[in-house]
Amino acid sequence: MRTEAAAGGGSIAAGPAPPALLCFDLKPFLAALTVLTLLTAAWQLRPYQSLLASPFSACPDLAVVKSTSLPSRLVSLHGKASSSSPNASSPPKQQERRAAPEPDPNRREFRAVGSAAALFVQMGAYRGGPYTFAVVGLASKPTHVYGKPWFRCEWVPNRPANASASPPPMRAANTYHMLPDWGYGRVYTVVVVNCTFSAAPNADNAGGRLVLNAYYGRSPERYERIEALEEAPGAYDEAAFRPPHRYDYLYCGSSLYGGISAERVREWMAYHARFFGPRSHFVFHDAGGVSPAVRAALEPWVRAGRATLQDVRVQAGYDGWYHNQFLVVNDCLHRYRHAARWTFFFDVDEYIFLPDGRTLEGVLAELEPYTQFTIEQNPMSSRLCARDTGDPKTDYSNQWGFEKLVFRNSITGVRRDRKYAIQAKNAYATGVHMSENVIGNTTHKTEHLIRYYHYHNTINVLGEVCREFVPVPPKGGLTWSEKTPWYYDDSMKRLADAVREFEKKAIGNVRV
């Protein structure tokens, strides 16, 4: 019985044990599973600090969570979650800016401030014929000496009245530039741009614009676009480029600067107005030297249509050679290129003279085969005057300067500056003493035909020009002064009365 009872007892006890054991073990398991599920959700939705402060930490079943091993694992898991979150691409501000590398103390920087000289300064642009134009201006000399600037021309036509669209621009077949100042330029050098087209721009007379592209260097990417000239509809006249010319002779004067004597200007103008005749015109350029008195001396000739006075004082802002004389004469050349048969270039202290009773028409007829001829100088003393020993009290103050200064330097074999005349239609650029950009021949053998008397520095003497009076030497004799031999030459003196009479008839009595 004990055995059965023992066996039975054992069997009865063993029968119900499994359900009781399963119930006892399942509840903690489910509770732990629920807690872990909630913790996992909290990981994904809340930061680690909030997780530690969550109400779950008060649950007795989360004692394990507060164990020493769990926080490190949570930090690790939290880090992985953060890296996959949408905000992971936006790191904290402290990490946004990477530390800038330390500057290299041996790497230098250059800072450019301002501009030393302009790429191009336009003074004028002129049509030189049916197919050609000229643009005259200044440019930075270092740029042209050491760089490779270049130019390109195009004609932009206006839209005809009966057309629906504007014709396309016409590019020049040949664009080239010249630097005619012989290297004398300073900050600025003179540039003359020639634009030649294969067909006549504005042939329909609808008008248009000449556009000049000025490039800084070899690259065609960097340039300045300049509207150099505009022709209004109906302005083009092809007959203007053919004879007959408006004048026979034109004078292009250099820059007038400094203190200039109105008396000397008056004498010069009267002499040459008579010399060149009624079909001549004189162009003066005021670079700061035309005072009210000088203007008053020229004004009667301006009113009579014999002279033009242009104000070029703005040139002082551009440092070129001798008040930009090369610029001025090149602008005059192209402005009046087809206005006269011959264009003369000389200064207001120089007087053209024809020896042996020659006439200007006869001399120029002999020189017609040449595009250009130069004129030899007769250098005159600017201080020596002759006094008649028999009349020492004679008042010379009313005599004209070229009437009193009668001593010519007799030293020969010395190279002296020459002046010149040119058939402007055959010249592309010019200089102060001659042109090197012409079509045709040049002659220098003209001393038997034409000369000029040079009264150097007298134009700036505002008072009496005679500084020293000496007796007239015997015929063929010399007068020595300042270690220089002077020959008595009264060729100009003998013309003074005729010039005064001509002035009176031409513009009336003049007082300066």
Side-chain angles (χ1 to χ4, degrees):
M1 286 195 60
R2 287 182 206 171
T3 305
E4 291 177 359
S11 64
I12 291 173
L21 181 61
L22 290 174
C23 182
F24 178 80
D25 295 334
L26 186 60
K27 290 180 180 180
F29 173 77
L30 292 175
L33 183 61
T34 301
V35 170
L36 289 174
T37 301
L38 293 174
L39 287 174
T40 304
W43 273 330
Q44 303 298 326
L45 299 176
R46 306 177 66 182
Y48 176 64
Q49 292 83 354
S50 299
L51 178 62
L52 294 180
S54 68
F56 296 112
S57 61
C59 181
D61 295 322
L62 293 180
V64 178
V65 175
K66 295 181 180 181
S67 65
T68 57
S69 61
L70 186 58
S72 62
R73 202 179 73 176
L74 288 176
V75 171
S76 176
L77 292 174
H78 180 69
K80 291 179 182 179
S82 297
S83 64
S84 62
S85 67
N87 296 328
S89 60
S90 300
K93 290 184 178 180
Q94 293 83 352
Q95 299 177 4
E96 276 185 5
R97 299 176 183 172
R98 296 182 179 179
E102 289 293 329
D104 184 353
N106 294 319
R107 182 176 180 178
R108 306 300 301 276
E109 294 184 357
F110 295 84
R111 294 191 304 163
V113 179
S115 178
L119 176 67
F120 189 74
V121 181
Q122 179 181 330
M123 182 177 181
Y126 309 100
R127 187 157 195 160
Y131 303 96
T132 64
F133 295 84
V135 184
V136 183
L138 297 168
S140 165
K141 182 177 179 179
T143 299
H144 279 266
V145 171
Y146 301 106
K148 296 294 181 182
W150 53 289
F151 300 88
R152 177 177 289 166
C153 301
E154 65 179 29
W155 177 261
V156 181
N158 291 341
R159 184 176 69 180
N162 58 352
S164 58
S166 299
M170 180 191 308
R171 179 174 292 181
N174 188 20
T175 302
Y176 65 93
H177 65 277
M178 296 155 280
L179 308 179
D181 61 5
W182 303 350
Y184 288 152
R186 291 165 59 87
V187 175
Y188 284 95
T189 188
V190 178
V191 179
V192 178
V193 183
N194 179 277
C195 312
T196 302
F197 292 83
S198 57
N202 197 25
D204 59 357
N205 231 333
R209 303 181 307 280
L210 176 70
V211 175
L212 177 68
N213 291 341
Y215 294 84
Y216 285 87
R218 296 180 184 273
S219 171
E221 302 298 326
R222 188 172 177 232
Y223 65 94
E224 302 294 339
R225 185 174 175 86
I226 306 165
E227 289 196 3
L229 179 145
E230 181 175 3
E231 279 188 353
Y236 172 56
D237 181 13
E238 187 179 355
F241 308 112
R242 300 192 305 265
H245 302 292
R246 192 189 323 169
Y247 310 113
D248 288 336
Y249 315 113
L250 184 87
Y251 167 76
C252 279
S254 295
S255 305
L256 297 177
Y257 60 90
I260 294 179
S261 167
E263 290 81 1
R264 303 291 85 75
V265 171
R266 171 208 176 179
E267 298 161 7
W268 185 98
M269 184 66 213
Y271 176 91
H272 287 98
R274 175 180 178 271
F275 178 86
F276 285 111
R279 282 184 49 81
S280 61
H281 194 77
F282 300 82
V283 182
F284 299 94
H285 298 90
D286 176 16
V290 177
S291 64
V294 173
R295 185 177 297 274
L298 291 174
E299 188 60 33
W301 299 102
V302 174
R303 290 197 304 266
R306 297 295 307 275
T308 296
L309 177 60
Q310 296 188 352
D311 184 348
V312 296
R313 296 189 178 208
V314 70
Q315 61 80 34
Y318 305 95
D319 186 11
W321 187 80
Y322 254 84
H323 305 268
N324 286 300
Q325 288 189 13
F326 280 96
L327 174 67
V328 163
V329 296
N330 274 280
D331 182 83
C332 189
L333 169 75
H334 287 284
R335 188 180 185 90
Y336 296 95
R337 190 180 185 195
H338 294 277
R341 288 170 48 211
W342 288 94
T343 301
F344 285 76
F345 296 87
F346 57 102
D347 294 330
V348 290
D349 59 355
E350 299 165 344
Y351 289 68
I352 305 297
F353 178 79
L354 302 176
D356 303 325
R358 296 178 181 272
T359 64
L360 184 59
E361 293 77 7
V363 169
L364 295 180
E366 192 170 340
L367 295 171
E368 186 71 27
Y370 299 97
T371 290
Q372 176 180 228
F373 64 87
T374 61
I375 309 171
E376 187 169 318
Q377 175 184 161
N378 285 342
M380 303 296 290
S381 171
S382 59
R383 62 189 311 273
L384 290 180
C385 294
R387 182 186 293 277
D388 188 353
T389 55
D391 188 10
K393 296 183 179 180
T394 301
D395 183 9
Y396 293 91
S397 61
N398 292 326
Q399 292 187 5
W400 284 7
F402 68 83
E403 187 178 4
K404 294 182 283 190
L405 298 169
V406 291
F407 288 94
R408 174 166 53 87
N409 191 320
S410 65
I411 298 176
T412 60
V414 178
R415 182 190 177 278
R416 295 185 173 96
D417 289 337
R418 302 173 74 98
K419 295 303 166 69
Y420 68 104
I422 199 169
Q423 296 191 51
K425 63 182 180 180
N426 294 328
Y428 296 105
T430 197
V432 173
H433 298 289
M434 66 174 292
S435 171
E436 293 183 336
N437 303 97
V438 297
I439 298 174
N441 296 323
T442 296
T443 181
H444 304 287
K445 297 179 179 181
T446 61
E447 58 275 4
H448 63 292
L449 298 173
I450 187 170
R451 289 174 172 267
Y452 75 93
Y453 282 83
H454 187 193
Y455 301 89
H456 186 57
N457 287 336
T458 57
I459 194 66
N460 302 115
V461 178
L462 301 182
E464 176 59 59
V465 293
C466 295
R467 313 293 181 82
E468 181 182 351
F469 286 93
V470 296
V472 177
K475 187 174 182 180
L478 297 175
T479 297
W480 285 81
S481 176
E482 297 180 330
K483 300 181 180 181
T484 301
W486 300 94
Y487 174 76
Y488 181 78
D489 184 347
D490 64 350
S491 299
M492 294 290 294
K493 178 182 177 66
R494 293 197 300 267
L495 298 173
D497 289 338
V499 174
R500 275 192 289 266
E501 184 65 24
F502 166 80
E503 179 194 56
K504 185 176 181 179
K505 290 181 179 179
I507 59 174
N509 293 319
V510 177
R511 295 181 64 88
V512 294

CSV table of all heavy atoms in Angstrom, one decimal, residues 138-139 141 145 179-190 319-327 415 417 430-434 436:
chain,number,residue,atom,x,y,z
A,138,LEU,N,43.6,108.3,-77.1
A,138,LEU,CA,44.7,108.0,-76.3
A,138,LEU,C,44.5,106.6,-75.7
A,138,LEU,O,43.4,106.1,-75.5
A,138,LEU,CB,44.9,109.0,-75.1
A,138,LEU,CG,45.1,110.5,-75.5
A,138,LEU,CD1,45.0,111.4,-74.3
A,138,LEU,CD2,46.6,110.6,-76.1
A,139,ALA,N,45.6,106.0,-75.3
A,139,ALA,CA,45.5,104.7,-74.6
A,139,ALA,C,46.7,104.6,-73.7
A,139,ALA,O,47.7,105.3,-73.8
A,139,ALA,CB,45.6,103.6,-75.6
A,141,LYS,N,50.0,103.8,-72.3
A,141,LYS,CA,51.3,103.5,-73.0
A,141,LYS,C,51.8,102.2,-72.5
A,141,LYS,O,52.3,101.4,-73.4
A,141,LYS,CB,52.3,104.6,-72.8
A,141,LYS,CG,53.6,104.4,-73.6
A,141,LYS,CD,54.6,105.5,-73.5
A,141,LYS,CE,55.9,105.2,-74.2
A,141,LYS,NZ,56.8,106.3,-74.1
A,145,VAL,N,52.9,99.1,-75.0
A,145,VAL,CA,54.3,98.8,-75.1
A,145,VAL,C,54.6,97.3,-74.6
A,145,VAL,O,55.3,96.6,-75.3
A,145,VAL,CB,55.2,99.7,-74.2
A,145,VAL,CG1,56.7,99.3,-74.2
A,145,VAL,CG2,55.1,101.1,-74.8
A,179,LEU,N,50.5,103.9,-83.7
A,179,LEU,CA,51.0,104.7,-82.6
A,179,LEU,C,51.9,105.8,-83.2
A,179,LEU,O,53.1,105.6,-83.3
A,179,LEU,CB,51.7,103.9,-81.6
A,179,LEU,CG,51.0,102.7,-81.0
A,179,LEU,CD1,51.9,101.9,-80.0
A,179,LEU,CD2,49.7,103.0,-80.4
A,180,PRO,N,51.4,107.0,-83.6
A,180,PRO,CA,52.2,107.9,-84.3
A,180,PRO,C,53.0,108.9,-83.5
A,180,PRO,O,53.5,109.9,-84.1
A,180,PRO,CB,51.1,108.7,-85.1
A,180,PRO,CG,49.9,108.7,-84.2
A,180,PRO,CD,50.0,107.4,-83.4
A,181,ASP,N,53.2,108.7,-82.2
A,181,ASP,CA,53.9,109.7,-81.4
A,181,ASP,C,55.4,109.3,-81.3
A,181,ASP,O,56.1,109.8,-80.4
A,181,ASP,CB,53.3,109.9,-80.1
A,181,ASP,CG,53.2,108.7,-79.2
A,181,ASP,OD1,53.7,107.7,-79.6
A,181,ASP,OD2,52.6,108.8,-78.2
A,182,TRP,N,55.9,108.3,-82.0
A,182,TRP,CA,57.3,108.0,-82.1
A,182,TRP,C,57.9,107.6,-80.7
A,182,TRP,O,59.1,107.8,-80.4
A,182,TRP,CB,58.1,109.2,-82.6
A,182,TRP,CG,57.7,109.7,-84.0
A,182,TRP,CD1,56.9,109.1,-84.9
A,182,TRP,CD2,58.2,110.9,-84.6
A,182,TRP,NE1,56.7,109.8,-86.0
A,182,TRP,CE2,57.5,110.9,-85.9
A,182,TRP,CE3,59.0,111.9,-84.3
A,182,TRP,CZ2,57.7,111.9,-86.8
A,182,TRP,CZ3,59.2,112.9,-85.2
A,182,TRP,CH2,58.6,112.9,-86.5
A,183,GLY,N,57.0,107.1,-79.9
A,183,GLY,CA,57.5,106.6,-78.5
A,183,GLY,C,57.6,107.8,-77.5
A,183,GLY,O,58.1,107.5,-76.4
A,184,TYR,N,57.2,109.0,-77.9
A,184,TYR,CA,57.3,110.1,-77.0
A,184,TYR,C,56.2,110.1,-75.9
A,184,TYR,O,56.2,111.0,-75.0
A,184,TYR,CB,57.2,111.4,-77.8
A,184,TYR,CG,58.4,111.8,-78.6
A,184,TYR,CD1,58.4,112.5,-79.7
A,184,TYR,CD2,59.7,111.3,-78.2
A,184,TYR,CE1,59.5,112.9,-80.5
A,184,TYR,CE2,60.8,111.6,-78.9
A,184,TYR,CZ,60.7,112.4,-80.1
A,184,TYR,OH,61.8,112.7,-80.8
A,185,GLY,N,55.2,109.3,-76.0
A,185,GLY,CA,54.1,109.3,-75.1
A,185,GLY,C,54.6,109.1,-73.6
A,185,GLY,O,55.7,108.6,-73.4
A,186,ARG,N,53.8,109.5,-72.7
A,186,ARG,CA,54.1,109.4,-71.3
A,186,ARG,C,53.2,108.3,-70.7
A,186,ARG,O,53.3,107.2,-71.0
A,186,ARG,CB,54.0,110.8,-70.7
A,186,ARG,CG,55.0,111.8,-71.2
A,186,ARG,CD,54.7,113.2,-70.8
A,186,ARG,NE,54.6,113.4,-69.4
A,186,ARG,CZ,55.6,113.7,-68.6
A,186,ARG,NH1,56.8,113.8,-69.1
A,186,ARG,NH2,55.4,113.9,-67.3
A,187,VAL,N,52.3,108.7,-69.8
A,187,VAL,CA,51.3,107.8,-69.3
A,187,VAL,C,50.4,107.3,-70.4
A,187,VAL,O,50.1,106.1,-70.5
A,187,VAL,CB,50.5,108.4,-68.1
A,187,VAL,CG1,49.4,107.4,-67.7
A,187,VAL,CG2,51.4,108.7,-67.0
A,188,TYR,N,50.1,108.2,-71.3
A,188,TYR,CA,49.3,107.9,-72.5
A,188,TYR,C,50.0,108.1,-73.8
A,188,TYR,O,50.9,108.9,-73.9
A,188,TYR,CB,48.0,108.8,-72.5
A,188,TYR,CG,47.0,108.5,-71.5
A,188,TYR,CD1,46.9,109.1,-70.3
A,188,TYR,CD2,46.0,107.5,-71.8
A,188,TYR,CE1,46.0,108.8,-69.3
A,188,TYR,CE2,45.1,107.2,-70.9
A,188,TYR,CZ,45.0,107.8,-69.6
A,188,TYR,OH,44.1,107.5,-68.7
A,189,THR,N,49.7,107.2,-74.7
A,189,THR,CA,50.2,107.3,-76.1
A,189,THR,C,49.1,107.5,-77.0
A,189,THR,O,47.9,107.2,-76.7
A,189,THR,CB,51.0,106.0,-76.4
A,189,THR,OG1,51.7,106.2,-77.7
A,189,THR,CG2,50.1,104.8,-76.5
A,190,VAL,N,49.3,108.1,-78.2
A,190,VAL,CA,48.3,108.4,-79.2
A,190,VAL,C,48.0,107.1,-80.0
A,190,VAL,O,49.0,106.4,-80.4
A,190,VAL,CB,48.7,109.5,-80.1
A,190,VAL,CG1,47.7,109.8,-81.1
A,190,VAL,CG2,49.0,110.8,-79.3
A,319,ASP,N,47.9,112.5,-69.3
A,319,ASP,CA,49.4,112.9,-69.3
A,319,ASP,C,50.0,112.3,-70.6
A,319,ASP,O,50.5,111.2,-70.7
A,319,ASP,CB,50.1,112.3,-68.1
A,319,ASP,CG,51.5,112.8,-68.0
A,319,ASP,OD1,51.9,113.7,-68.8
A,319,ASP,OD2,52.3,112.2,-67.2
A,320,GLY,N,50.0,113.1,-71.7
A,320,GLY,CA,50.6,112.8,-72.9
A,320,GLY,C,51.8,113.8,-73.2
A,320,GLY,O,52.0,114.7,-72.5
A,321,TRP,N,52.5,113.5,-74.3
A,321,TRP,CA,53.6,114.3,-74.6
A,321,TRP,C,53.3,115.8,-75.0
A,321,TRP,O,52.4,116.0,-75.9
A,321,TRP,CB,54.4,113.7,-75.8
A,321,TRP,CG,55.7,114.3,-76.1
A,321,TRP,CD1,56.9,114.1,-75.5
A,321,TRP,CD2,56.0,115.2,-77.2
A,321,TRP,NE1,57.9,114.9,-76.0
A,321,TRP,CE2,57.3,115.6,-77.1
A,321,TRP,CE3,55.2,115.8,-78.2
A,321,TRP,CZ2,57.9,116.5,-78.0
A,321,TRP,CZ3,55.8,116.7,-79.0
A,321,TRP,CH2,57.1,117.0,-78.9
A,322,TYR,N,53.9,116.7,-74.3
A,322,TYR,CA,53.7,118.2,-74.6
A,322,TYR,C,52.3,118.6,-74.9
A,322,TYR,O,51.9,119.0,-75.9
A,322,TYR,CB,54.6,118.5,-75.9
A,322,TYR,CG,55.8,119.3,-75.5
A,322,TYR,CD1,57.0,118.7,-75.2
A,322,TYR,CD2,55.8,120.7,-75.5
A,322,TYR,CE1,58.1,119.4,-74.8
A,322,TYR,CE2,56.9,121.4,-75.2
A,322,TYR,CZ,58.1,120.7,-74.8
A,322,TYR,OH,59.2,121.5,-74.5
A,323,HIS,N,51.5,118.4,-73.8
A,323,HIS,CA,50.1,118.8,-73.9
A,323,HIS,C,49.3,118.1,-75.0
A,323,HIS,O,48.5,118.7,-75.6
A,323,HIS,CB,50.0,120.3,-74.0
A,323,HIS,CG,50.7,121.0,-72.9
A,323,HIS,ND1,50.1,121.4,-71.7
A,323,HIS,CD2,52.0,121.4,-72.8
A,323,HIS,CE1,51.0,122.0,-71.0
A,323,HIS,NE2,52.2,122.1,-71.6
A,324,ASN,N,49.7,116.8,-75.2
A,324,ASN,CA,49.0,116.0,-76.2
A,324,ASN,C,49.0,116.6,-77.6
A,324,ASN,O,48.0,116.5,-78.4
A,324,ASN,CB,47.6,115.7,-75.8
A,324,ASN,CG,47.6,114.7,-74.6
A,324,ASN,OD1,48.0,113.6,-74.7
A,324,ASN,ND2,47.0,115.1,-73.5
A,325,GLN,N,50.2,117.1,-78.0
A,325,GLN,CA,50.3,117.6,-79.4
A,325,GLN,C,50.0,116.6,-80.5
A,325,GLN,O,49.4,116.9,-81.5
A,325,GLN,CB,51.7,118.3,-79.6
A,325,GLN,CG,51.9,119.6,-78.8
A,325,GLN,CD,53.2,120.3,-79.2
A,325,GLN,OE1,53.8,119.9,-80.2
A,325,GLN,NE2,53.6,121.3,-78.4
A,326,PHE,N,50.6,115.4,-80.3
A,326,PHE,CA,50.4,114.4,-81.3
A,326,PHE,C,48.9,114.0,-81.4
A,326,PHE,O,48.4,113.8,-82.6
A,326,PHE,CB,51.1,113.1,-81.0
A,326,PHE,CG,52.6,113.2,-81.3
A,326,PHE,CD1,53.5,113.5,-80.4
A,326,PHE,CD2,53.0,112.9,-82.6
A,326,PHE,CE1,54.9,113.6,-80.7
A,326,PHE,CE2,54.4,112.9,-82.9
A,326,PHE,CZ,55.3,113.3,-82.0
A,327,LEU,N,48.2,114.0,-80.3
A,327,LEU,CA,46.7,113.7,-80.4
A,327,LEU,C,46.0,114.8,-81.2
A,327,LEU,O,45.2,114.5,-82.0
A,327,LEU,CB,46.2,113.6,-79.0
A,327,LEU,CG,44.7,113.5,-78.8
A,327,LEU,CD1,44.2,112.2,-79.4
A,327,LEU,CD2,44.3,113.7,-77.4
A,415,ARG,N,71.7,119.7,-87.7
A,415,ARG,CA,70.4,119.2,-87.9
A,415,ARG,C,69.4,119.9,-87.1
A,415,ARG,O,69.5,120.0,-85.9
A,415,ARG,CB,70.3,117.7,-87.6
A,415,ARG,CG,68.9,117.1,-87.9
A,415,ARG,CD,68.8,115.7,-87.3
A,415,ARG,NE,67.5,115.1,-87.5
A,415,ARG,CZ,66.4,115.4,-86.7
A,415,ARG,NH1,66.6,116.2,-85.7
A,415,ARG,NH2,65.3,114.9,-87.0
A,417,ASP,N,65.0,120.9,-86.4
A,417,ASP,CA,63.7,120.4,-86.6
A,417,ASP,C,63.1,121.0,-87.9
A,417,ASP,O,63.3,122.2,-88.2
A,417,ASP,CB,62.8,120.8,-85.5
A,417,ASP,CG,63.1,119.9,-84.2
A,417,ASP,OD1,63.7,118.9,-84.4
A,417,ASP,OD2,62.7,120.4,-83.1
A,430,THR,N,49.7,111.1,-88.5
A,430,THR,CA,50.7,112.1,-88.7
A,430,THR,C,51.4,112.4,-87.4
A,430,THR,O,51.1,111.9,-86.3
A,430,THR,CB,50.1,113.4,-89.3
A,430,THR,OG1,51.1,114.2,-89.8
A,430,THR,CG2,49.3,114.2,-88.2
A,431,GLY,N,52.5,113.2,-87.5
A,431,GLY,CA,53.2,113.6,-86.3
A,431,GLY,C,53.4,115.1,-86.2
A,431,GLY,O,52.7,115.8,-86.9
A,432,VAL,N,54.3,115.5,-85.3
A,432,VAL,CA,54.5,117.0,-85.1
A,432,VAL,C,55.5,117.5,-86.2
A,432,VAL,O,55.3,118.6,-86.7
A,432,VAL,CB,55.1,117.2,-83.7
A,432,VAL,CG1,55.5,118.7,-83.6
A,432,VAL,CG2,54.1,116.9,-82.7
A,433,HIS,N,56.5,116.7,-86.6
A,433,HIS,CA,57.5,117.2,-87.6
A,433,HIS,C,57.4,116.5,-88.9
A,433,HIS,O,57.9,117.0,-89.9
A,433,HIS,CB,58.9,116.9,-87.0
A,433,HIS,CG,59.1,117.7,-85.8
A,433,HIS,ND1,59.3,119.0,-85.7
A,433,HIS,CD2,59.3,117.3,-84.5
A,433,HIS,CE1,59.5,119.5,-84.5
A,433,HIS,NE2,59.5,118.4,-83.7
A,434,MET,N,56.6,115.4,-89.1
A,434,MET,CA,56.3,114.8,-90.3
A,434,MET,C,55.5,113.6,-90.1
A,434,MET,O,55.3,113.2,-88.9
A,434,MET,CB,57.6,114.4,-91.1
A,434,MET,CG,58.4,113.3,-90.4
A,434,MET,SD,59.8,112.7,-91.5
A,434,MET,CE,58.9,111.9,-92.8
A,436,GLU,N,54.8,109.4,-90.8
A,436,GLU,CA,55.3,108.2,-91.3
A,436,GLU,C,54.3,107.2,-91.7
A,436,GLU,O,54.6,106.0,-91.9
A,436,GLU,CB,56.1,107.6,-90.1
A,436,GLU,CG,57.4,108.4,-89.7
A,436,GLU,CD,58.2,107.7,-88.6
A,436,GLU,OE1,57.6,106.9,-87.9
A,436,GLU,OE2,59.4,108.0,-88.5
